[in-house]
Amino acid sequence: MSYTQGGNDGRTVTSIPLTDANPPGSASIGSLVRDATEQMSTLVRAEVALAKAEVTAEVRKGLTGSVFFILALTVLLFSSFFFFFFLAELLDVWLYRWAAFLIVFVLMVAATALLALLGWLKVRKLRAPEKTINSLKQTAEVLPAALTHSEHAPALEKSTRR
């Protein structure tokens, strides 16, 4: 048997009693099995809730960290504008101003083309998840065979043929 206790923050906590609810000799086998099943169910739910809480906390930390990385990359992106201006002004010492800015522009376009080519080459290599697809096909082949041995197989076969 399990108990549900209300917390101060409005959440409920399910717990398993540490003492025997039924003294020895007073419970039937049916009630013992029921209590054991109920306690296992409570334990599994509690474990799932704990895992969910831990994962949620870690995801929150990860999102916070990624926001700071995105902000840092945004500042770097805007700062690169000033670097290219600096480079053009530096080339202006030896060349005409228009030629210096044209060289910087051509360098930026070439870098963009190179990065786009590298991205395209990586994306082109993407493939479908063959192992997962094969596993699902095998599962689909095995499940109908297992279901034919049950008494509900005809109804299930009709519903899967649609």
Side-chain angles (χ1 to χ4, degrees), residues 72-93:
L73 288 174
T74 303
V75 170
L76 179 66
L77 177 69
F78 286 122
S79 300
S80 67
F81 174 78
F82 295 104
F83 171 75
F84 291 116
F85 247 99
F86 158 76
L87 187 61
E89 291 292 335
L90 183 65
L91 289 175
D92 183 35
V93 172

Side-chain angles (χ1 to χ4, degrees), residues 4 10 15 17-18 52-54 56 58 62-63 68 70 73 78 90 108 114 117-118 123 133 142 147 155-156:
T4 303
S15 62
L18 298 177
K52 183 179 174 183
E54 285 179 336
T56 302
E58 292 303 314
L63 286 176
F68 285 119
I70 290 170
L73 288 174
F78 286 122
L90 183 65
M108 292 175 73
L114 177 67
L117 175 67
L118 291 174
V123 169
I133 292 171
V142 170
L147 291 175
L156 289 173

